[in-house]
Amino acid sequence: MITTHIPGYPRIGARRELKFALEACWRGETGDANLLRTGSELRAAHWRRQREAGLSLVTAGDFSFYDPMLDTLVLLGCPPLRFGFDPQRLTLRQYFELARGNAGQPALEMTKWFDTNYHYLVPELSAQTRFDGGPDWYFEHIAEALAAGHPVKPVLIGPVTFLRLAKAGGGADRLVLVEPLARAYARILGRLRGMGIEWVQIDEPALCLELEPAWLDAFDRAYPILAADAPALLLATCFDAADEHADRVLRLPVRGIHIDLVRAPGQLAAWQSRLPADRVLSAGIVDGRNIWRTDLRRALALLQPLHEAIGNRLWLASSCSLQHVPVSLSGEQGLDPEVRPWLAFADEKLEELRVLGKALDGGTKSVLAELEAADAVLASRRTSRRIVNEEVRARLGRLSPADERRANSHPQRSVLQQAQLGLPPLPTTTIGSFPQTPQIRATRAAWKRGEIGELQYLDAMRAEIREVIARQEALGIDVLVHGEAERNDMVEFFGEQLWGFCFTQNGWVQSYGSRCVKPPVIYGDVARPEPMTVDISRFAQSLTEKPVKGMLTGPVTILQWSFVRDDQPRADTALQIALAVREEVADLEKAGIRVIQIDEPALREGLPLKRRDWNGYLDWAVRAFRIASAVAADETQIHTHMCYAEFNDILPAIAAMDADVITIETSRSNMELLDGFGEFRYPNGIGPGVYDIHSPRVPQTEDILRLMRRACGVIPLPQLWINPDCGLKTRSWTEVEPALRNMVAAARQLRAGLAASDGTGPAA
């Protein structure tokens, strides 16, 4: 019989049960016991679904109350020494302090998990780091699954990937930790074997990167140690090909390899030809990153010859963990009825694996009805009249290089912009959103339920905007925002107003911690039927003499944070979105908006894992931004925002975007991310984030001064802005107002120091 399994299952719950339990616990409304009970119920439900779908193995150890990298750090017993926590006696509250910070310490740094929109917490290691183990939470989860009678396959983040994604202070070499870390893994695996576990999945997506020889050698150093007394190991890769390392991997003491045949189907031949007779090949054939139904016949055409060659040493799986897709289509009664049959969420993907496994075991006749139903759905999608918009395609064909360039270079533009805006040195601003209060959410929900009309809703949102503008003026912020009260999500809001998109009711996926997003579905050509933000931006600007930013989401971020059609190149879809954003920029400018921000936090996220593939992606990603923004006149100041990613290796591309001002997240890294911009001599304006908006901790003025003084030593002062790391929608006003008051106070102190100095930098 074919073995079927998945690398992981969504952990948030079909109705975001984990999110609500977490936030109630953090607010002090419920205790730890309620949160732990919710976690136990979710785990039990997830395992039950896998078994009901007929999977051979149930995946355990993939559940987390915040982040699996944080869980691995806790399991290994290596929390940062700066917190002063006892690793073996770590409490749940301390676990959350690692993730969210406390009064004495900022949270662990956060960045993107490979090329996904999921954010992981970055372990902090040093030469003194010890891996003596932590609390038994992980083993308790495995014991729960075993007690429920499931055939359990635990999952662990692999040691080399853990080290590769960690950071080491003081110039320490992470690779000196390979052997002690491997011994810690050996203890964990030995304990799992003692619990009766037969297979363990070790996730090593780092194998899909272009690793230096020393990092490849780390696999040879680590795996003989950790596998000495371990169950059978399934080494799992995902997100790209790993076949260039096939010979090395198959020399390791592992019993199987999992490969991603959705992202990299071309790697199959190399693995099949090298696979020893005693090894398993797990084929990731169902897309774990997107929501389109699998072409079952195409999948079988790939799998059947492989099955004939290696028999039941072939396992079937999703390409990666299903945490990147929503839980189930069962609650999507309001979804566009034509599009709904084209989709498969996590539970539907389990069913696809069942059908594929049955077809290989019993022949295609055993699943003929399922195959014919899938054929009909795929045919309806291919022939739908809603997919192609000839006008949009014609406009793309008419684009020329002139459409990608501003009239003059940034030095010339900045003179005109300063003459118009009259900003002080070190101008202050925020990234865009302000707290989405319970009242705002309740009003939006009432409007969507039809309990209040469009005009009443608009009046309520305008009242919120008046308050936000007044608060910012009272605080003394220089460039204001309207606060985005009317927006549910920075991508969903725009998708709802563009052709070619549709939306789910419960299609939630985890972004980090309790933060969930509901990505739109791009099923057809994208077009803007009418202005999207002009009226609200014009109203906000009418309330103040200070400039109010027009707030837009950029084409690459809309692309990356949506479930994107898979029937044309992503570059084509990005350029279609860019045309829509370009039209909005032109209309905002006509309405008198002098500063327009086009957010691109996902630009770095979209990079392919292999550097050799970067140039192709960056060429079209930068082109999309320039098409969206270059319609603006020189006097209009174009901002962009990027966050929670490493930018230093793509700085030429960021500079090529030619935004007048870029704001970035830098506070969690203590401004380390800014060093690359300084070394590169980034030419345009830059606002390094001065406080972490994902933590409830309110920064003091001295905290902000310390960071900005460091920034002034890296970037020429005339280029610098002062702003938070990111938008403020998830924070409360009780946190936001004192933080911004301290931010403005820091800016004023620095300006006063500048006036008292020779004008080149703040006085000491």
Side-chain angles (χ1 to χ4, degrees), residues 490-563:
M490 65 183 292
V491 172
E492 185 175 13
F493 172 79
F494 289 98
E496 287 174 339
Q497 301 178 79
L498 294 168
W499 288 346
F501 285 74
C502 71
F503 299 86
T504 64
Q505 294 168 287
N506 294 292
W508 299 99
V509 294
Q510 185 185 32
S511 179
Y512 64 89
S514 69
R515 171 73 168 144
C516 300
V517 294
K518 187 153 60 70
V521 177
I522 304 178
Y523 66 85
D525 289 343
V526 176
R528 186 195 77 145
E530 59 187 9
M532 301 178 285
T533 66
V534 172
D535 286 346
I536 209 82
S537 297
R538 184 190 289 117
F539 170 74
Q541 186 62 75
S542 74
L543 302 173
T544 179
E545 293 299 315
K546 290 187 173 183
V548 180
K549 289 192 280 191
M551 298 299 305
L552 304 175
T553 302
V556 175
T557 297
I558 291 177
L559 181 89
Q560 285 293 128
W561 292 358
S562 299
F563 291 122

Side-chain angles (χ1 to χ4, degrees), residues 656-672:
M657 293 167 67
D658 199 26
D660 296 302
V661 179
I662 181 175
T663 52
I664 60 172
E665 174 273 323
T666 52
S667 68
R668 283 201 179 194
S669 67
N670 196 33
M671 291 284 173
E672 289 177 8

